[in-house]
Amino acid sequence: MVVVSNRLPVDFVVDEDGVEGWRSSPGGLVTALEPVMRESDGAWVGWAGVADRELDPFEHDGISIIPVPLSEEDLERYYEGFSNDTLWPLYHDVIAPPSYHREWWESYVTVNRRFATAAGRAAALGATVWVHDYQLQLVPAMLRAIRPDLVIGFFNHIPFPPYGIYSQLPWRKQILEGLLGADVIGFQRVADAGNFTRAVRRLLGYTTRHTVVEVPGDNGDLRRVVATNFPISIDVAGFEELAARPDIQARALEIRAGLGNPETVMLGVDRLDYTKGIGHRLKAYGELLAQGRLDVEKTVLVQVASPSRERVATYMSLRDEIELQVGRLNGDHSTLSHTAIAYLHQAYPREEMVALYLAADVMLVTALRDGMNLVAKEYVASRINNDGVLVLSEFAGASDELKQALLINPHDIEGLKNAIESAARMPSKERKKRMKTLRKRLRENNVSDWAKAFLDMLTGRAAIEPGIPEA
Ligand code: G6P
C-alpha cells in the first residue's frame, strides 16, 4: 500500500548546531495506518516540511518514507497559494475571501503531477494507493493515467462546499475530474459527499446513483466511483492511556494550581485559523465577564492557538486581530491576581495536551466550519472520569456523532453565551450522563475502524450498493 499526503508523518529538522535529522509528527493518520503499512510493506509519499531539499527515501518504523521535494516557489504558489489561499477558504464556506491566480493553479498541477509520479514509482503492480486531502485532488486521475493497474482511494479531510460556493472555482471541472480518477472518494460528512455528487452532476453531467458516480470511459464503458462519508476519528485507546498516566494527571493538577485553582477552567485548542471561530468564542466569553455572568475570580479561559501557515496574509491579520482581542479582554477584565484569558501561541506535545484536557472543566469548540475537529474527540477520549462539558459547533463534522455535547451556532453570540454559562453551571449528574454517552459513542468509531471501513470499501468494492436513483 502507498499513502500519499502533502506532509510526511516525519518532518525534516535542523537543530541549533546545524545537525540534520527527522522528527516524527505522529498524527492520528499514522497511528491508524501503521499496522496496515507494516503488513503490506507500505510506503508514504509526501513533503518533508522544508523547501529546496532533495532528500533520499529511507525506512522509518517499518515504513518507506519517500520525500517529494518542493521549491520555495512551489511553497508560495502550490502550498501557501492555491492550497491555503484558494482551496482552504473556498472549501470552508468562503469565511475569508479565496484568491484565484492562474500561476498558482499551474503550480498546483505541476506539484500534483510530481506527487503522482512518485506514487506511481513506489507502487507495486495492482497495489492500493490512498491519496489524502485537498492539496492533492488531481493526483487520483494523474495516477490512473500512468498506472491503470492500481486501486486508488482519496479521502478529503476538510469539508466539500455546496455547489453555489464550489462553482466559483475557475478550475472546478478539472478538480472534479482529478478526484474521479479514484475508485472510492471519502468525505467526512454525508453533506460533503452530497455536495460533491451534486457538483459532478451539474458540471460534468454524469449520472450519480446514490453514492455511485458513473464515469464514462473512452470506449463508451462506465467506471463506477463510490463517493461517500467515512467520519475520521482518533486513537481513542491511546488518549485514554495517556489520561490514566499518574504523571499526566499530576501535571493536570499542576496546571490548575498554576492558574490559581479556579472553580472553572475553560479551554480552547486550535490551530490559529479563521475557520476555528476563536474571535466569536472570545467575544462571547468577554460579554459574559462584562455582564457578571462569569466571574474572573472563579473562571479562566486557556486558549492554545498553535502557529499555522504564518506566511499567508489572512493568517497574519487573524493573529493580529485575535491578539488585540485577547489584550483588550485581559485589560478590561483581569485583576492583579486573576487573568481572564491565558493565551498561548505555541504547539505542545500530546502528553501536555492531554494534561490540559484533564485540567479543563469545559472545552470550547466554536468552529465556523470544520471537516471533523479532532480536538473535540480528543477531549472526550481524555475525560476518563466521565466528567467535563463539551461545547461544540454544529458546523464541525464531529457534531454529527457527538450529539450529547452542548451544540451551538457560533454566529449566534447570545446562544453561545447561554451554552458557555450552562456548561459552567451544569450539575455534576448531567455532566456525567452526557460525557458517558459521548465516550461510548466515540469508542464505537476509532481511527482504526475508520481506516478499515475505507480500505474495505476500496479493496473489496463488494459493498457497492446497486444504487438508489436520486429524485
Ligand atoms: C488540516 C488539513 C491537513 C493539514 C493540517 C495542518 O488539518 O486537513 O491536510 O496538514 O490542517 O496544516 P498544514 O498546512 O500545516 O499542513
PDB file of all heavy atoms in Angstrom, residues 6-7 79 84 88 133-135 157-158 271 308-309, ligand 1:
ATOM      1  N   ASN A   6       0.210  15.535   1.576  1.00  0.00           N
ATOM      2  CA  ASN A   6       1.111  16.676   1.406  1.00  0.00           C
ATOM      3  C   ASN A   6       2.283  16.595   2.386  1.00  0.00           C
ATOM      4  O   ASN A   6       3.431  16.738   2.014  1.00  0.00           O
ATOM      5  CB  ASN A   6       0.344  17.980   1.589  1.00  0.00           C
ATOM      6  CG  ASN A   6       1.248  19.185   1.464  1.00  0.00           C
ATOM      7  OD1 ASN A   6       1.931  19.338   0.452  1.00  0.00           O
ATOM      8  ND2 ASN A   6       1.306  20.011   2.489  1.00  0.00           N
ATOM      9  N   ARG A   7       1.968  16.332   3.669  1.00  0.00           N
ATOM     10  CA  ARG A   7       3.039  16.214   4.658  1.00  0.00           C
ATOM     11  C   ARG A   7       3.318  14.752   4.961  1.00  0.00           C
ATOM     12  O   ARG A   7       2.399  13.958   5.095  1.00  0.00           O
ATOM     13  CB  ARG A   7       2.619  16.863   5.980  1.00  0.00           C
ATOM     14  CG  ARG A   7       2.870  18.345   6.008  1.00  0.00           C
ATOM     15  CD  ARG A   7       2.519  18.890   7.371  1.00  0.00           C
ATOM     16  NE  ARG A   7       2.389  20.327   7.323  1.00  0.00           N
ATOM     17  CZ  ARG A   7       3.424  21.182   7.400  1.00  0.00           C
ATOM     18  NH1 ARG A   7       4.651  20.736   7.566  1.00  0.00           N
ATOM     19  NH2 ARG A   7       3.209  22.479   7.337  1.00  0.00           N
ATOM     20  N   TYR A  79       1.472  25.520  -2.168  1.00  0.00           N
ATOM     21  CA  TYR A  79       1.082  25.279  -0.773  1.00  0.00           C
ATOM     22  C   TYR A  79       0.388  26.501  -0.151  1.00  0.00           C
ATOM     23  O   TYR A  79      -0.787  26.446   0.220  1.00  0.00           O
ATOM     24  CB  TYR A  79       2.312  24.850   0.037  1.00  0.00           C
ATOM     25  CG  TYR A  79       2.071  24.782   1.531  1.00  0.00           C
ATOM     26  CD1 TYR A  79       1.273  23.785   2.077  1.00  0.00           C
ATOM     27  CD2 TYR A  79       2.625  25.740   2.385  1.00  0.00           C
ATOM     28  CE1 TYR A  79       1.024  23.726   3.445  1.00  0.00           C
ATOM     29  CE2 TYR A  79       2.390  25.691   3.753  1.00  0.00           C
ATOM     30  CZ  TYR A  79       1.589  24.690   4.275  1.00  0.00           C
ATOM     31  OH  TYR A  79       1.338  24.655   5.630  1.00  0.00           O
ATOM     32  N   ASN A  84      -3.779  26.853   0.275  1.00  0.00           N
ATOM     33  CA  ASN A  84      -4.216  27.504   1.510  1.00  0.00           C
ATOM     34  C   ASN A  84      -4.766  28.915   1.372  1.00  0.00           C
ATOM     35  O   ASN A  84      -5.231  29.490   2.362  1.00  0.00           O
ATOM     36  CB  ASN A  84      -3.081  27.445   2.538  1.00  0.00           C
ATOM     37  CG  ASN A  84      -2.895  26.009   2.998  1.00  0.00           C
ATOM     38  OD1 ASN A  84      -3.876  25.305   3.284  1.00  0.00           O
ATOM     39  ND2 ASN A  84      -1.656  25.544   3.027  1.00  0.00           N
ATOM     40  N   TRP A  88      -8.528  26.291   0.568  1.00  0.00           N
ATOM     41  CA  TRP A  88      -8.896  26.266   2.002  1.00  0.00           C
ATOM     42  C   TRP A  88     -10.067  27.220   2.303  1.00  0.00           C
ATOM     43  O   TRP A  88     -11.097  26.786   2.814  1.00  0.00           O
ATOM     44  CB  TRP A  88      -7.665  26.543   2.881  1.00  0.00           C
ATOM     45  CG  TRP A  88      -7.973  26.478   4.345  1.00  0.00           C
ATOM     46  CD1 TRP A  88      -8.356  27.511   5.144  1.00  0.00           C
ATOM     47  CD2 TRP A  88      -7.960  25.304   5.186  1.00  0.00           C
ATOM     48  NE1 TRP A  88      -8.576  27.059   6.428  1.00  0.00           N
ATOM     49  CE2 TRP A  88      -8.340  25.719   6.480  1.00  0.00           C
ATOM     50  CE3 TRP A  88      -7.668  23.951   4.955  1.00  0.00           C
ATOM     51  CZ2 TRP A  88      -8.429  24.830   7.558  1.00  0.00           C
ATOM     52  CZ3 TRP A  88      -7.752  23.070   6.036  1.00  0.00           C
ATOM     53  CH2 TRP A  88      -8.129  23.517   7.311  1.00  0.00           C
ATOM     54  N   ASP A 133      -6.378  14.408   1.074  1.00  0.00           N
ATOM     55  CA  ASP A 133      -6.660  15.826   1.279  1.00  0.00           C
ATOM     56  C   ASP A 133      -6.551  16.752   0.062  1.00  0.00           C
ATOM     57  O   ASP A 133      -6.033  16.406  -0.983  1.00  0.00           O
ATOM     58  CB  ASP A 133      -5.857  16.360   2.465  1.00  0.00           C
ATOM     59  CG  ASP A 133      -6.769  17.102   3.463  1.00  0.00           C
ATOM     60  OD1 ASP A 133      -7.959  17.247   3.152  1.00  0.00           O
ATOM     61  OD2 ASP A 133      -6.289  17.541   4.526  1.00  0.00           O
ATOM     62  N   TYR A 134      -7.058  17.991   0.339  1.00  0.00           N
ATOM     63  CA  TYR A 134      -7.322  18.967  -0.709  1.00  0.00           C
ATOM     64  C   TYR A 134      -6.082  19.422  -1.477  1.00  0.00           C
ATOM     65  O   TYR A 134      -6.215  19.949  -2.582  1.00  0.00           O
ATOM     66  CB  TYR A 134      -8.012  20.197  -0.075  1.00  0.00           C
ATOM     67  CG  TYR A 134      -7.146  20.900   0.966  1.00  0.00           C
ATOM     68  CD1 TYR A 134      -6.478  22.079   0.674  1.00  0.00           C
ATOM     69  CD2 TYR A 134      -6.983  20.358   2.232  1.00  0.00           C
ATOM     70  CE1 TYR A 134      -5.680  22.710   1.617  1.00  0.00           C
ATOM     71  CE2 TYR A 134      -6.182  20.980   3.184  1.00  0.00           C
ATOM     72  CZ  TYR A 134      -5.536  22.146   2.871  1.00  0.00           C
ATOM     73  OH  TYR A 134      -4.739  22.762   3.803  1.00  0.00           O
ATOM     74  N   GLN A 135      -4.895  19.238  -0.899  1.00  0.00           N
ATOM     75  CA  GLN A 135      -3.693  19.670  -1.611  1.00  0.00           C
ATOM     76  C   GLN A 135      -3.417  18.791  -2.839  1.00  0.00           C
ATOM     77  O   GLN A 135      -2.660  19.182  -3.722  1.00  0.00           O
ATOM     78  CB  GLN A 135      -2.462  19.607  -0.687  1.00  0.00           C
ATOM     79  CG  GLN A 135      -2.563  20.398   0.611  1.00  0.00           C
ATOM     80  CD  GLN A 135      -3.082  19.540   1.764  1.00  0.00           C
ATOM     81  OE1 GLN A 135      -3.684  18.488   1.555  1.00  0.00           O
ATOM     82  NE2 GLN A 135      -2.870  19.995   3.001  1.00  0.00           N
ATOM     83  N   HIS A 157     -10.087  15.474   3.933  1.00  0.00           N
ATOM     84  CA  HIS A 157     -10.194  15.696   5.385  1.00  0.00           C
ATOM     85  C   HIS A 157     -10.989  16.945   5.732  1.00  0.00           C
ATOM     86  O   HIS A 157     -11.360  17.147   6.884  1.00  0.00           O
ATOM     87  CB  HIS A 157      -8.792  15.793   6.006  1.00  0.00           C
ATOM     88  CG  HIS A 157      -8.044  14.492   5.974  1.00  0.00           C
ATOM     89  ND1 HIS A 157      -7.786  13.767   7.103  1.00  0.00           N
ATOM     90  CD2 HIS A 157      -7.538  13.770   4.947  1.00  0.00           C
ATOM     91  CE1 HIS A 157      -7.129  12.660   6.782  1.00  0.00           C
ATOM     92  NE2 HIS A 157      -6.966  12.639   5.476  1.00  0.00           N
ATOM     93  N   ILE A 158     -11.178  17.814   4.755  1.00  0.00           N
ATOM     94  CA  ILE A 158     -11.865  19.088   5.029  1.00  0.00           C
ATOM     95  C   ILE A 158     -13.255  19.044   4.375  1.00  0.00           C
ATOM     96  O   ILE A 158     -13.569  18.095   3.661  1.00  0.00           O
ATOM     97  CB  ILE A 158     -11.011  20.290   4.547  1.00  0.00           C
ATOM     98  CG1 ILE A 158     -10.931  20.374   3.017  1.00  0.00           C
ATOM     99  CG2 ILE A 158      -9.595  20.214   5.138  1.00  0.00           C
ATOM    100  CD1 ILE A 158     -10.304  21.661   2.498  1.00  0.00           C
ATOM    101  N   ARG A 271      -5.520  25.251  15.811  1.00  0.00           N
ATOM    102  CA  ARG A 271      -4.524  25.932  15.001  1.00  0.00           C
ATOM    103  C   ARG A 271      -5.050  27.353  14.859  1.00  0.00           C
ATOM    104  O   ARG A 271      -6.269  27.561  14.814  1.00  0.00           O
ATOM    105  CB  ARG A 271      -4.438  25.303  13.599  1.00  0.00           C
ATOM    106  CG  ARG A 271      -3.475  24.151  13.482  1.00  0.00           C
ATOM    107  CD  ARG A 271      -3.316  23.661  12.053  1.00  0.00           C
ATOM    108  NE  ARG A 271      -4.574  23.465  11.397  1.00  0.00           N
ATOM    109  CZ  ARG A 271      -5.112  24.310  10.512  1.00  0.00           C
ATOM    110  NH1 ARG A 271      -4.476  25.412  10.143  1.00  0.00           N
ATOM    111  NH2 ARG A 271      -6.284  24.056   9.969  1.00  0.00           N
ATOM    112  N   SER A 308       0.246  28.568  12.613  1.00  0.00           N
ATOM    113  CA  SER A 308      -0.091  27.849  11.388  1.00  0.00           C
ATOM    114  C   SER A 308       0.007  28.773  10.178  1.00  0.00           C
ATOM    115  O   SER A 308      -0.406  29.926  10.245  1.00  0.00           O
ATOM    116  CB  SER A 308      -1.525  27.323  11.526  1.00  0.00           C
ATOM    117  OG  SER A 308      -1.855  26.507  10.439  1.00  0.00           O
ATOM    118  N   ARG A 309       0.580  28.270   9.091  1.00  0.00           N
ATOM    119  CA  ARG A 309       0.599  28.953   7.778  1.00  0.00           C
ATOM    120  C   ARG A 309       0.927  30.443   7.929  1.00  0.00           C
ATOM    121  O   ARG A 309       0.213  31.317   7.409  1.00  0.00           O
ATOM    122  CB  ARG A 309      -0.762  28.756   7.092  1.00  0.00           C
ATOM    123  CG  ARG A 309      -1.094  27.271   6.999  1.00  0.00           C
ATOM    124  CD  ARG A 309      -2.453  26.959   6.475  1.00  0.00           C
ATOM    125  NE  ARG A 309      -2.737  25.550   6.666  1.00  0.00           N
ATOM    126  CZ  ARG A 309      -3.945  24.992   6.613  1.00  0.00           C
ATOM    127  NH1 ARG A 309      -4.989  25.726   6.352  1.00  0.00           N
ATOM    128  NH2 ARG A 309      -4.096  23.703   6.808  1.00  0.00           N
TER     129      ARG A 309
HETATM  130  C1  G6P B   1      -5.693  20.448   8.250  1.00  0.00           C
HETATM  131  C2  G6P B   1      -5.567  19.766   6.907  1.00  0.00           C
HETATM  132  C3  G6P B   1      -4.283  18.954   6.803  1.00  0.00           C
HETATM  133  C4  G6P B   1      -3.095  19.806   7.219  1.00  0.00           C
HETATM  134  C5  G6P B   1      -3.308  20.399   8.606  1.00  0.00           C
HETATM  135  C6  G6P B   1      -2.158  21.319   9.054  1.00  0.00           C
HETATM  136  O1  G6P B   1      -5.968  19.514   9.230  1.00  0.00           O
HETATM  137  O2  G6P B   1      -6.699  18.958   6.637  1.00  0.00           O
HETATM  138  O3  G6P B   1      -4.099  18.481   5.491  1.00  0.00           O
HETATM  139  O4  G6P B   1      -1.905  19.066   7.179  1.00  0.00           O
HETATM  140  O5  G6P B   1      -4.505  21.151   8.591  1.00  0.00           O
HETATM  141  O6  G6P B   1      -1.927  22.307   8.113  1.00  0.00           O
HETATM  142  P1  G6P B   1      -0.519  22.455   7.355  1.00  0.00           P
HETATM  143  O7  G6P B   1      -0.778  23.471   6.301  1.00  0.00           O
HETATM  144  O8  G6P B   1       0.432  22.924   8.406  1.00  0.00           O
HETATM  145  O9  G6P B   1      -0.134  21.112   6.806  1.00  0.00           O
END
